[in-house]
C-alpha cells in the first residue's frame, strides 16, 4: 500500500468514525483526573463521586451557569454528585495577575453560591451551598490537557464521569436538561 493510499484511508477513518482531531476523551474509558480547587481542595474523577466537569474560559461564564441550572433536581444537594468548573486562562499571567484573577473568581463564586443556596431553600434542602460550588483555575493548561484539550484551544466542554472515573458523556456546548439527566442516571 502506498503512503498516499494509507493517508487517504487514515483521513477517511477519522472522518467517518466521528472522531475529533481535538483529542476528545473516549466515552466508556476510565480516567483518574485530578484537580485542585481555588480553596486548595484536591478532587479526583475516580474518588467515588459522580462528577460533572465544565471546562470554560472567563467568557463562558453564562454557559457554565447554564450547565449548573440544568442539573436535575434529583441530584441537587446530594453529596454523591458534584460539579467542578475548571476556568481556563489562555494568556500568561504574572503572580500578581493570578492573585487578582483568583480574587475576582472568589467574588463570582460568592454570587453563584447565593444563587444555589436560594435554589436549595426553594427545594427544602438543608445544605451549605458553598460546599457544592467547586472551581479550579487552569493558568498553565495542565487541567485542560487532562481533559484532552490542547493548550491553544479555548473550546467550552462538559464531561460527566461516573463514580470510578468512567467517562459517561461529553459535549462541546451546554447539554440539554434531558441529556444531562440521562448522563447522571
Amino acid at each position: 500500500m502506498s503512503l498516499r493510499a494509507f493517508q487517504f484511508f487514515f483521513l477517511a477513518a477519522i472522518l467517518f468514525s466521528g472522531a475529533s482531531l481535538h483529542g476528545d476523551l473516549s466515552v466508556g474509558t476510565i480516567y483518574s483526573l485530578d484537580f485542585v480547587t481555588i480553596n486548595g481542595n484536591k478532587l479526583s474523577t475516580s474518588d467515588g463521586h459522580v462528577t460533572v466537569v465544565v471546562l470554560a474560559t472567563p467568557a463562558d461564564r453564562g454557559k457554565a451557569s447554564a450547565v449548573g441550572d440544568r442539573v436535575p433536581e434529583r441530584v441537587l444537594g446530594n453529596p454523591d454528585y458534584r460539579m467542578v468548573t475548571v476556568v481556563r486562562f489562555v494568556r500568561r499571567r504574572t503572580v500578581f495577575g493570578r492573585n487578582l484573577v483568583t480574587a475576582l473568581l472568589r467574588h463570582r463564586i460568592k454570587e453563584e453560591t447565593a444563587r444555589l443556596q436560594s435554589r436549595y431553600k426553594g427545594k427544602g434542602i438543608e445544605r451549605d451551598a458553598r460546599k457544592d460550588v467547586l472551581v479550579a483555575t487552569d493558568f498553565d493548561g495542565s487541567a485542560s490537557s487532562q481533559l484532552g484539550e490542547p493548550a491553544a484551544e479555548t473550546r467550552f466542554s462538559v464531561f460527566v464521569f461516573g463514580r470510578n472515573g468512567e467517562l459517561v458523556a461529553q459535549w462541546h456546548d451546554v447539554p440539554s436538561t434531558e441529556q444531562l439527566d440521562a448522563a447522571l442516571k
Side-chain angles (χ1 to χ4, degrees), residues 15 28 36 61 64 67 72 96 130 158:
L15 293 175
V36 178
R61 179 181 177 195
V67 174
F96 175 76
R130 179 60 192 106
V158 179

Side-chain angles (χ1 to χ4, degrees), residues 1-151:
M1 177 184 275
S2 73
L3 179 61
R4 189 69 150 164
F6 176 76
Q7 289 172 333
F8 172 77
F9 285 115
F10 179 73
L11 179 62
I14 289 174
L15 293 175
F16 292 111
S17 71
S20 170
L21 295 175
H22 285 289
D24 287 348
L25 302 182
S26 298
V27 171
T29 301
I30 294 174
Y31 297 94
S32 183
L33 310 178
D34 299 312
F35 304 100
V36 178
T37 69
I38 63 171
N39 295 328
N41 299 319
K42 295 179 183 178
L43 308 172
S44 175
T45 56
S46 61
D47 64 4
H49 295 86
V50 175
T51 305
V52 177
V53 177
V54 177
L55 178 61
T57 65
D60 296 323
R61 179 181 177 195
K63 286 182 175 184
S65 289
V67 174
D69 291 343
R70 293 178 183 184
V71 168
E73 300 295 324
R74 66 183 169 74
V75 303
L76 194 63
N78 183 337
D80 292 337
Y81 296 82
R82 66 179 172 209
M83 181 173 138
V84 180
T85 303
V86 177
V87 183
R88 182 177 194 176
F89 298 93
V90 179
R91 278 191 5 221
R92 292 244 181 234
R93 299 197 186 293
T94 64
V95 172
F96 175 76
R98 287 182 181 194
N99 290 339
L100 180 62
V101 165
T102 301
L104 291 171
L105 275 175
R106 287 182 196 280
H107 176 72
R108 288 187 180 155
I109 289 169
K110 285 182 183 176
E111 293 173 351
E112 287 298 319
T113 298
R115 280 181 4 105
L116 183 58
Q117 194 68 56
S118 175
R119 190 172 171 196
Y120 280 5
K121 186 176 180 181
K123 298 296 176 188
I125 298 170
E126 298 292 327
R127 181 170 167 82
D128 181 8
R130 179 60 192 106
K131 295 178 181 175
D132 297 332
V133 180
L134 305 169
V135 177
T137 55
D138 186 14
F139 289 106
D140 61 4
S142 60
S144 304
S145 66
Q146 289 186 85
L147 295 164
E149 295 295 326

Side-chain angles (χ1 to χ4, degrees), residues 148-159:
E149 295 295 326
E153 291 290 324
T154 57
R155 183 168 62 158
F156 177 84
S157 301
V158 179
F159 306 86

